[in-house]
Amino acid sequence: MKHDHTVLELVTTGVLAAVICVLAPLGLPIDPVPISLATFAVMLTSYVAGWKKGSVAVLIYLILGAVGVPVLSGYTGGLSKVIGPTGGYLIGYIPLAFCTGWFAEKHRSNVILTVAGMLIGTIILYALGTVWLAFQMKMDLKAALGAGVLPFLPGDAAKIVITQVLGPILYTALKKGGVLTK
């Protein structure tokens, strides 16, 4: 039935948002940009569920964070956090979800292309975050890259590898279990 399919899609998207909300606050509170599991959560959920559900799950996460639910890094929340120095990185989760999910949907059996999707999304996230960080903190671009990109390269590379390993396993299990319909 169409109604049951719609309910399943809504519930799946809600669960994806919950997974992001649980994982994203975890990390190391360094300044000005904390290290968290948010990028991993966004990539994994979008890899598994695709660009539509992944992107909507990220929007739900960001809205919850903006209204004050403590789901952002370090269990914080509030509009000031979303528009503050790290706000560009938070908004960057949307293209990260889109790129990861789109490439996974279109090229699920091609490791190079699914990794490319995660890399493209990460580059867009870095670009948005770095420009916003530089603007908010009155830094030059070099300083913003040093604070908001360079320390994250090894960890984000590891998150991409882990997503590429776990993503297909979770996708197959959820597809087999009837949770994913496409």
Side-chain angles (χ1 to χ4, degrees), residues 14-91:
V15 170
L16 295 172
V19 167
I20 297 170
C21 288
V22 168
L23 291 176
L26 303 173
L28 302 171
I30 61 170
D31 277 331
V33 182
I35 295 173
S36 77
L37 290 180
T39 52
F40 171 67
V42 169
M43 285 188 287
L44 186 62
T45 56
S46 298
Y47 183 101
V48 169
W51 72 270
K52 288 178 188 172
K53 287 188 279 273
S55 297
V56 171
V58 168
L59 286 171
I60 293 168
Y61 161 73
L62 291 173
I63 290 167
L64 289 171
V67 299
V69 178
V71 295
L72 304 176
S73 63
Y75 298 97
T76 59
L79 189 57
S80 63
K81 181 83 170 180
V82 175
I83 62 172
T86 60
Y89 298 104
L90 293 171
I91 297 305

